[in-house]
Amino acid sequence: MWKQILSKLPKKSSKNEHHHHRGREHGGRSAASSDSASKGGNNNGVFTPYEALPSFKDVPNAEKQNLFIKKLNLCRVVFDFTDPTKNIKEKDIKRQTLLELVDYVNNSANGKFSEVGIQEVVRMVSANIFRTLNPQPRENKVIDALDLEEEEPSMDLAWPHLQLVYELFLRFVASPETDTKLAKRYIDQSFVLRLLDLFDSEDPRERDCLKTILHRIYGKFMVHRPFIRKSINNIFYRFVLETEKHNGIAEFLEILGSIINGFALPLKDEHKVFLVRVLIPLHKPRCLQMYHQQLSYCITQFVEKDCKLADTVIRGLLKYWPVTNSSKEVMFLNELEEVLEATQPPEFQRCMVPLFRQIARCLNSLHFQVAERALFLWNNNHIENLIMQSRKVILPIIFPALERNVQKHWNQAVHSLTLNVRKIFNDLDPELFKECLAKFKEDESKQVETKAKREATWKRLEEVGMRKAS
């Protein structure tokens, strides 16, 4: 009688069940209670023994689709990996089942995936990968990018299962047997957003898998492309303007580098806005070293596609040029060389005055690596040609810095490189070199006179003060 009464009561909304999936951590259960893993369970709360299902090769072709769905349901149970002695048998059954599913998805001879099959794949993947990430405190780590890079990455204990789930999903998305029109109903914007959230995982293996999967989704589901770009932009905005803390910036930029490479010409205004509002401000955070290589590649791609953007990029670099961080300055100079290699004379001439004022400051840097890296710009033939074409403007700007290096820079390598650069200018245009040298000596003598007058004035003031005091 009680069973009859209870059976008539309304069941809990599936919305609550979905919320439970999203909020769980590894060690929770996708649908079953935490003490039911050894019994196993399906997502209706009915517990059955967690036992291996027959192999695909042991059933007729007509039954394979049904067995595929049953195996997917079996793999929706999530086990606790914090205790290695718990549910050893069940964990192994799930691992073997996942391996079988990977092989099945990879075998195109099994035909197109049905809509039910697609739905169940997405449900199983969601149950396993979507979880609350618990990052370690990074307040102190972010201060020094070098320390952050040397930190041991945090490895997810559930990786033996997670890796296979990611492998299965990657092969599923890439499979020609996956109907894009059907799949986009389940791999929707909500799914993509949750996938993007996982990029903040501290496990580099997981971020690498996510990077490959997101790239495949971007390639296959054209309808999601604008949404994916916009969502990544929003993550970047929050990173630059609010937190300066995110583990997946390098992976996002790696994906975007490939996307930018495929942009059609002429570039859309949307893409130019992305360069100005997103990529250039990414030079601001203190942890730039963690993703600078990927960022530099993206920036250079834009300049190579449209050389008119060189002026915008160089002025953007100057805007965020570091003042007290020498290692960051070296990174900026490395990127500047790559950008200048793709720059044409008209764009170079638009920004050369502010650019070489900054380079002059770098030449006089007491940090020898900064000064050395700035002087290495003259080793690049294309950049040297750009400089020499505009030498009448550039040499007067940098000449005082070159002379000060020759006179008093402490580092011998910087001293030698400076002499080489002076020689290049002197050999090419001795008249201009003499003019600059005369102007430098004149300015130096004026500075000596000004300094002497200032010291004499202070001396008189001191004498007046002493007379009044006595």
Side-chain angles (χ1 to χ4, degrees):
M1 182 178 175
W2 281 108
K3 286 182 181 178
Q4 290 175 349
I5 294 169
L6 290 170
S7 66
K8 292 178 182 177
L9 291 173
K11 290 183 179 180
K12 283 188 179 179
S13 166
S14 61
K15 201 172 184 181
N16 292 336
E17 183 183 329
H18 174 75
H19 178 75
H20 175 67
H21 277 301
R22 187 167 183 175
R24 72 166 175 80
E25 296 176 20
H26 280 304
R29 295 289 173 267
S30 61
S33 63
S34 59
D35 61 346
S36 65
S38 59
K39 298 176 184 177
N42 61 26
N43 280 7
N44 297 319
V46 179
F47 307 132
T48 56
Y50 197 92
E51 293 176 356
L53 293 166
S55 175
F56 284 110
K57 63 185 178 184
D58 296 333
V59 298
N61 289 339
E63 293 294 320
K64 284 185 178 178
Q65 282 279 359
N66 288 334
L67 182 59
F68 176 60
I69 290 166
K70 287 178 182 177
K71 285 180 181 286
L72 288 169
N73 280 325
L74 187 72
C75 291
R76 283 171 64 187
V77 177
V78 180
F79 294 101
D80 181 2
F81 278 81
T82 56
D83 183 357
T85 63
K86 196 174 179 183
N87 309 123
I88 296 172
K89 179 189 170 187
E90 288 79 8
K91 288 174 185 174
D92 191 56
I93 290 172
K94 180 177 176 180
R95 192 180 68 82
Q96 292 297 333
T97 306
L98 284 168
L99 286 168
E100 288 181 38
L101 287 169
V102 170
D103 287 339
Y104 180 85
V105 169
N106 203 37
N107 186 358
S108 58
N110 294 315
K112 292 277 184 186
F113 294 108
S114 65
E115 184 169 359
V116 176
I118 293 171
Q119 183 181 15
E120 290 304 319
V121 168
V122 175
R123 288 179 73 188
M124 187 278 286
V125 170
S126 300
N128 280 276
I129 68 172
F130 294 143
R131 64 208 189 276
T132 303
L133 299 173
N134 289 321
Q136 297 172 0
R138 284 173 286 173
E139 287 79 3
N140 297 326
K141 283 195 223 173
V142 80
I143 292 172
D144 193 340
L146 284 169
D147 290 346
L148 186 56
E149 195 175 46
E150 289 167 6
E151 279 286 331
E152 282 295 321
S154 176
M155 300 300 189
D156 198 311
L157 296 173
W159 186 247
H161 285 182
L162 271 177
Q163 181 184 19
L164 293 171
V165 173
Y166 279 123
E167 181 69 20
L168 166 67
F169 190 52
L170 174 62
R171 291 174 186 270
F172 171 76
V173 171
S175 173
E177 307 307 326
T178 302
D179 189 320
T180 308
K181 289 182 181 178
L182 287 176
K184 73 181 181 183
R185 298 177 191 173
Y186 306 101
I187 303 175
D188 55 9
Q189 291 186 356
S190 171
F191 182 92
V192 169
L193 271 179
R194 295 172 75 188
L195 200 69
L196 293 176
D197 287 342
L198 291 174
F199 274 82
D200 202 19
S201 167
E202 291 197 353
D203 192 329
R205 301 169 300 181
E206 181 168 19
R207 297 199 304 272
D208 196 54
C209 288
L210 287 163
K211 175 185 69 179
T212 310
I213 289 168
L214 184 63
H215 200 192
R216 290 285 190 174
I217 290 174
Y218 188 90
K220 189 156 189 166
F221 297 87
M222 293 184 70
V223 68
H224 290 332
R225 288 182 181 183
F227 178 77
I228 290 172
R229 291 198 302 270
K230 182 181 176 183
S231 300
I232 293 176
N233 287 358
N234 290 337
I235 291 170
F236 285 152
Y237 288 139
R238 187 162 183 266
F239 171 70
V240 172
L241 301 173
E242 296 178 19
T243 65
E244 288 198 12
K245 296 170 191 172
H246 198 286
N247 291 307
I249 300 299
E251 285 77 13
F252 282 136
L253 287 169
E254 206 167 323
I255 295 166
L256 288 168
S258 179
I259 292 170
I260 294 164
N261 198 18
F263 282 166
L265 295 176
L267 290 171
K268 295 179 183 176
D269 288 342
E270 172 205 343
H271 300 148
K272 294 178 184 178
V273 168
F274 166 69
L275 169 68
V276 173
R277 293 187 182 174
V278 180
L279 290 184
I280 291 176
L282 277 169
H283 290 85
K284 181 183 175 184
R286 291 168 291 179
C287 55
L288 173 66
Q289 183 171 348
M290 302 304 296
Y291 56 84
H292 181 256
Q293 185 181 347
Q294 293 84 356
L295 176 60
S296 181
Y297 177 77
C298 291
I299 295 279
T300 310
Q301 286 285 304
F302 267 104
V303 179
E304 287 176 354
K305 281 190 171 289
D306 185 353
C307 61
K308 291 179 181 176
L309 292 171
D311 176 45
T312 303
V313 167
I314 291 170
R315 289 180 185 275
L317 286 173
L318 294 174
K319 178 181 178 181
Y320 294 104
W321 201 277
V323 177
T324 59
N325 190 332
S326 300
S327 61
K328 202 171 171 183
E329 264 195 289
V330 172
M331 285 188 277
F332 271 59
L333 286 164
N334 288 334
E335 183 175 349
L336 178 63
E337 180 171 358
E338 291 181 14
V339 171
L340 287 173
E341 274 196 89
T343 304
Q344 299 305 311
E347 286 70 42
F348 177 77
Q349 288 161 10
R350 287 194 197 103
C351 61
M352 63 185 175
V353 173
L355 172 60
F356 278 87
R357 282 178 184 154
Q358 180 58 58
I359 289 175
R361 287 191 284 272
C362 292
L363 292 173
N364 285 152
S365 173
L366 289 175
H367 194 294
F368 79 96
Q369 288 179 333
V370 175
E372 195 174 57
R373 189 64 192 83
L375 288 161
F376 280 154
L377 291 173
W378 275 265
N379 290 348
N380 186 300
N381 291 332
H382 178 71
I383 296 173
E384 187 184 344
N385 289 336
L386 290 174
I387 293 170
M388 292 311 164
Q389 286 171 27
S390 305
R391 61 186 178 276
K392 293 189 184 298
V393 176
I394 292 170
L395 185 57
I397 295 171
I398 65 167
F399 192 88
L402 292 172
E403 284 302 303
R404 288 189 199 103
N405 274 4
V406 170
Q407 290 173 10
K408 56 187 179 184
H409 201 285
W410 66 271
N411 185 271
Q412 187 59 45
V414 172
H415 189 270
S416 302
L417 287 166
T418 304
L419 288 173
N420 291 341
V421 172
R422 280 176 87 255
K423 188 175 184 302
I424 290 170
F425 281 108
N426 193 19
D427 291 347
L428 187 70
D429 196 336
E431 288 300 317
L432 177 63
F433 189 87
K434 286 177 185 176
E435 287 174 21
C436 290
L437 183 59
K439 179 75 166 56
F440 174 75
K441 288 179 177 177
E442 183 185 335
D443 291 343
E444 284 281 289
S445 62
K446 283 181 181 178
Q447 285 178 12
V448 170
E449 286 178 21
T450 305
K451 185 180 178 182
K453 286 179 182 178
R454 186 166 57 246
E455 287 176 353
T457 304
W458 278 110
K459 193 173 182 180
R460 284 199 303 273
L461 287 170
E462 285 174 6
E463 288 171 356
V464 171
M466 286 173 70
R467 281 200 300 270
K468 286 186 176 180
S470 59

